[in-house]
Every structure is written in C-alpha cells, then in structure tokens.
Amino acid sequence: VFIGVPIILTMINIVLLFAEKKFKARTVNAIDIITFFLGISFTILLSGATGFHEWNEQLYFTGGKYTDGGTYSPISFESLPTFITICIVAVISYILLRFFSKRLSPIIASLCYGGLFLGFCMTVVLTVQFWCDISKFQTILFLLFPYNYVLCSIRLIRNTVSEYTEQIANTNYNNKFLKLCKTILSKSASFMMISFLMAIPLLLVVIIILILFGQQPDSVIKMFTETAEWTLSQKIPPPRLDYDGHYLCTVAACGDEKVVKPLRAGKRNS
C-alpha cells in the first residue's frame, strides 16, 4: 500500500492530463487534494526511512547506496531551509491558483504562475541530481511527487490562464503604455512568458528573506553541490568502511589506538 498508492495516483494524474473533461469537477478536486497530501507525506516518510546523512559523516559499505545505515543526502542539510522554502512557495502558488483563482488579480496570478515555474525548475534539477541512480526503484519513488506536481500544474495552467487573459482583454485603459501592456498580456503565450520571467524576482525575494534568517546567498546552488555521491555533488565523503570485516580484535581492544594501531581509513581485505 505504501508504494502502490503513489504509483496509482501518478497513473491517474497522467490520465487526467489528457482526459480531464471526462471526470466530474469534484472527482478531480479530490484527486488533486489527495495527490498533494499523500505525496508530501509519502516523501517525508520515505526520506525518514532512508536515513539521509550529511556528506562528511562516516557510513558503512553494505552493498549499494541505499543501505540499512542510510545514505548521503541529495540536499545539503545546511541549505535545507532554502529547499523547503522554495517547495512551500511552489505548493502555495498552486493552492492559490487552484482554489482561489477568481479572487486573484492578473498580477498576483502571474506571480503564482512564477511560483509554479519555480516548482518545475526544482523538479528538473532534482531529476538531474538523482540521475546517477535513476535505475534504482527507491530513487524513482523520491521523484514521484515532483512529477505529479508538474502534471497537476500543467492541467492548472491549461484551465486557468485564459481567465486572466480575458480579464485583461476586457479592461479598458486610457494610457498608451497600459494599452500596449494590454495588447501583449491579453495573449496567453505572452502572459505565460511574463509569468515565467516573474519567477526570477520571486526567487530573489525568497533568497533575500532567507539571508535574513542566516542562509547564504548562494544556498540555491549549494543545496545541490554541497553533497556527496550524487550527480551535482562537489564534496568527497569519507571512504565507506567495510561493515562485514573481521573486526572482533578491534572490538575486544575497545578501539584503543595503541593496540589496534590504525594506519588509514579504507576497505579491509579479508
């Protein structure tokens, strides 16, 4: 059930992307709510069960990246607040557009679309980060919710962007500059392009706020590079120790360096 439900929801969201009109609005709303609630919960539980560690911690080699002793985190712990904040902005943007679209002005809606594009960009970077182990089933599970987010957001953009372009087209302006803006923004393609560009100032605002709370200005980059054993990782972790070696003598000596006389860290040949 823990694994089957997210996979089934992913398949349902793929079907809705192409055949949403065949389903009732209440059914689609329920599926979206369940997707986000279970998707976020599933990702948190999966992360806890995996047991992520910072890049400089000592791990033991037990045959594979995902082991009982955990693995290195694909997101730097120091920059984790930045990652979580961007994810929260992306989810809130979706909620506002999904359930409060009629109350939003075109400017606020454009910012929210920018938040969706931040979520898209985060999904792409996460895919690149996980790509070195994309063949592992557990890696695919970590990407399920980001991909479902993209599927739901594409449907949302398709269903709502016309509302704002029509609202802009039906508004009359006397100023020549505003008339020019109206001509540009009343087209869906132009409106989405401006919304995509709005992701940049939105990200800058997020970074500035995070700096006030102690995050580094380049934490958006470091949250992926200050890691080990992943695609974008720039750190070299301590060598994994052989967990199954003959270590009874070391245990009996209680790890006394004078008795054990360790020379270096490495894999022991038994």
Side-chain angles (χ1 to χ4, degrees):
V1 176
F2 183 75
I3 297 176
V5 172
I7 295 177
I8 292 174
L9 280 174
T10 302
M11 296 174 64
I12 292 174
N13 280 314
I14 293 174
V15 173
L16 286 176
L17 182 63
F18 300 99
E20 182 180 2
K21 294 182 179 179
K22 295 182 179 180
F23 295 84
K24 295 182 179 180
R26 291 183 179 180
T27 303
V28 176
N29 290 339
I31 292 174
D32 286 352
I33 294 174
I34 293 173
T35 297
F36 274 75
F37 178 76
L38 292 184
I40 294 173
S41 302
F42 173 80
T43 304
I44 294 174
L45 290 175
L46 183 61
S47 299
T50 301
F52 286 124
H53 296 269
E54 188 64 304
W55 69 268
N56 55 359
E57 295 183 22
Q58 181 66 67
L59 297 182
Y60 293 90
F61 179 79
T62 56
K65 175 172 285 188
Y66 299 106
T67 63
D68 294 337
T71 189
Y72 291 112
S73 173
I75 306 296
S76 171
F77 285 178
E78 292 184 1
S79 302
L80 190 59
T82 299
F83 176 78
I84 294 175
T85 302
I86 294 176
C87 291
I88 291 175
V89 169
V91 172
I92 291 178
S93 297
Y94 179 88
I95 293 174
L96 290 176
L97 288 169
R98 184 68 177 81
F99 299 103
F100 304 97
S101 61
K102 295 182 180 180
R103 302 180 184 179
L104 301 179
S105 65
I107 295 178
I108 300 300
S110 181
L111 282 172
C112 291
Y113 284 123
L116 295 184
F117 288 123
L118 282 180
F120 290 178
C121 293
M122 189 65 68
T123 300
V124 172
V125 179
L126 281 173
T127 302
V128 173
Q129 182 76 322
F130 280 111
W131 193 256
C132 58
D133 279 290
I134 198 65
S135 60
K136 303 288 181 60
F137 183 67
Q138 193 163 346
T139 300
I140 296 175
L141 291 179
F142 276 112
L143 292 172
L144 279 183
F145 177 66
Y147 288 163
N148 276 274
Y149 174 86
V150 171
L151 291 172
C152 293
S153 297
I154 291 175
R155 284 194 290 109
L156 179 63
I157 292 174
R158 182 182 61 193
N159 295 336
T160 59
V161 67
S162 60
E163 297 179 7
Y164 299 107
T165 54
E166 289 178 4
Q167 182 178 344
I168 294 173
N170 294 331
T171 304
N172 296 320
Y173 298 101
N174 295 323
N175 186 281
K176 293 183 179 180
F177 176 74
L178 293 178
K179 288 183 178 180
L180 177 62
C181 292
K182 172 185 174 180
T183 303
I184 297 174
L185 296 177
S186 59
K187 300 177 181 179
S188 298
S190 301
F191 183 79
M192 293 312 301
M193 179 60 67
I194 297 298
S195 298
F196 178 78
L197 295 177
M198 291 295 286
I200 299 175
L202 182 61
L203 180 60
L204 290 176
V205 171
V206 171
I207 292 175
I208 292 173
I209 294 175
L210 288 170
I211 289 175
L212 298 178
F213 287 92
Q215 288 288 286
Q216 298 181 3
D218 56 351
S219 58
V220 175
I221 298 174
K222 285 187 174 181
M223 64 182 175
F224 295 107
T225 59
E226 298 283 315
T227 57
E229 297 187 350
W230 298 98
T231 305
L232 301 175
S233 300
Q234 299 293 320
K235 295 295 184 179
I236 300 177
R240 294 196 181 215
L241 301 181
D242 192 348
Y243 196 76
D244 299 321
H246 298 286
Y247 57 91
L248 293 179
C249 295
T250 302
V251 174
C254 298
D256 192 322
E257 294 184 1
K258 294 180 180 179
V259 178
V260 180
K261 297 180 181 179
L263 298 177
R264 60 182 176 83
K267 185 178 180 180
R268 178 173 178 173
N269 297 318
S270 55

